[in-house]
Amino acid sequence: MTRAPITQVLQDVLLRRVLPGGGLADRPAGQYRTDATAWGTVALAASNADRQSLDRLRSRLLREQQRDGRLCIESNRSDSYWPTPIAILAWRGDQACESAKDRAIAFVLTTTGNHYAAKSEEPAGHDTFLKGWPWISGTHSWIEPTAVAVIALNSEGYGGHARIREAKAMILDRQLPHGGWNYGNSFVFGQELRPMPETTGAALASLAGMVDRQHIEKALDYLLNEVGRLTTPISLGWSLIGLAAWNLWPANGVALVERCLVNQSRFGEYDTSSLSLLFLGALAGQPDDNLNVSGFPRAGRLENASQ
């Protein structure tokens, strides 16, 4: 009996989580969640899922969008607008969502984290004045939400925008001297922090096509050494996405994804956002260029990199 390709297995799992009222459940037999729906739509669109399913997911995101363009985890949590850039990616290429996508882009371009000029006693070692994007409004900018916003805006042609240029500078400023990225700091009280694979993968994906490889070589070395040991969906998914963006998707990538899925027998089924990121990581190693449809960087785009 022929085994189904891993990407087909992942697509089938996500489609089983589509809710009758539209959108995706956050987990099997769970409830609607905006980030799960947005990430799932990005992954399903990249895998050429059927149009009817995609329409149901995108329509639910349209209903969740607030008047100013933001999408939040919950409608009564207007400060939790970090799913907005993911929705931009989810709506990409769908004419019916063009107006909503434009409002979301305008919202992202006009929001930022809480930034300030560093004081002499500042415990963090990075430039606290460089602007990116936060998880929650009124807080400092961090690597993953900034990286996702850069990927989304880049996919819509805003790579030369001042906000993207500053976000690129922010991400590079927070790179660790020995390679990779922590969640947002580089040094605290003079101590270099440890790199994390998921934030390193996200940062590398966001910088693809924007910087020369020499600027992130140590980060690539770190992730290449780490990826074979990763067994959780978010860390492995982002790592595979980041490596693929630099034409370094590992030869054993499918085996790594399969091993990660097997771990569900021990820990239970993964939540939808985590599963979607793992799905995108698996798709990143496919020989076709489908992932570009959803805005994620692909290998072979570095010829246009700038210093």
Side-chain angles (χ1 to χ4, degrees):
M1 180 175 175
T2 303
R3 186 173 60 176
I6 192 65
T7 52
Q8 185 62 54
V9 171
L10 287 163
Q11 184 183 100
D12 292 344
V13 171
L14 283 183
L15 289 174
R16 287 197 295 271
R17 298 186 187 185
V18 177
L19 295 165
L24 284 164
D26 57 350
R27 59 187 64 252
Q31 298 180 333
Y32 171 83
R33 189 170 155 121
T34 301
D35 59 328
T37 300
W39 275 129
T41 305
V42 174
L44 288 168
S47 67
N48 292 323
D50 67 281
R51 182 57 188 260
Q52 184 178 10
S53 295
L54 292 174
D55 285 346
R56 292 174 66 188
L57 301 183
R58 288 170 173 153
S59 295
R60 181 61 186 265
L61 292 174
L62 290 175
R63 298 200 300 272
E64 296 295 326
Q65 187 178 36
Q66 298 185 19
R67 294 181 66 179
D68 64 359
R70 77 181 73 192
L71 289 91
C72 303
I73 290 296
E74 298 176 1
S75 58
N76 62 345
R77 288 292 308 275
S78 61
D79 58 343
S80 63
Y81 55 72
W82 58 266
T84 308
I86 316 172
I88 294 172
L89 291 167
W91 285 328
R92 192 165 187 263
D94 190 330
Q95 192 63 38
C97 302
E98 198 71 21
S99 177
K101 184 182 68 178
D102 288 344
R103 292 199 305 275
I105 291 170
F107 176 82
V108 173
L109 287 173
T110 54
T111 56
T112 185
N114 183 25
H115 293 272
Y116 51 91
K119 301 177 181 178
S120 58
E121 66 272 19
E122 175 65 43
H126 62 267
D127 187 339
T128 55
F129 197 69
L130 289 171
K131 296 179 178 64
W133 283 271
W135 289 109
I136 301 292
S137 64
T139 63
H140 201 45
S141 296
W142 300 102
I143 292 298
E144 188 176 329
T146 297
V148 175
V150 169
I151 292 169
L153 293 172
N154 246 333
S155 74
E156 294 298 319
Y158 288 85
H161 194 280
R163 286 302 313 279
I164 300 296
R165 294 198 302 270
E166 185 168 9
K168 179 184 78 170
M170 187 214 97
I171 294 170
L172 288 173
D173 177 73
R174 299 197 195 184
Q175 186 176 191
L176 300 169
H178 288 90
W181 281 264
N182 193 268
Y183 291 113
N185 291 322
S186 53
F187 289 84
V188 175
F189 295 113
Q191 179 69 43
E192 182 180 349
L193 301 182
R194 293 170 62 95
M196 306 299 293
E198 57 268 35
T199 41
T200 299
L204 287 171
S206 71
L207 293 174
M210 297 181 69
V211 302
D212 286 336
R213 181 165 168 159
Q214 63 183 350
H215 297 298
I216 46 82
E217 195 72 55
K218 290 181 180 179
L220 290 172
D221 289 342
Y222 157 73
L223 205 55
L224 284 169
N225 288 328
E226 193 72 15
V227 68
R229 296 191 287 268
L230 301 177
T231 58
T232 57
I234 294 177
S235 59
L236 179 58
W238 268 124
S239 295
L240 292 174
I241 292 167
L243 290 173
W246 294 85
N247 202 22
L248 291 171
W249 201 83
N252 65 336
V254 171
L256 295 177
V257 173
E258 290 175 338
R259 182 182 68 182
C260 185
L261 288 173
V262 167
N263 284 339
Q264 293 179 107
S265 63
R266 298 169 58 197
F267 306 120
E269 292 186 74
Y270 297 135
D271 68 86
T272 301
S273 293
S274 300
L275 189 68
S276 298
L277 282 166
L278 183 64
F279 193 178
L280 286 165
L283 288 167
Q286 298 302 301
D288 58 37
D289 206 29
N290 284 342
L291 205 55
N292 271 349
V293 173
S294 292
F296 275 79
R298 291 286 289 166
R301 292 178 57 190
L302 297 185
E303 64 274 6
N304 295 322
S306 58
Q307 298 286 346

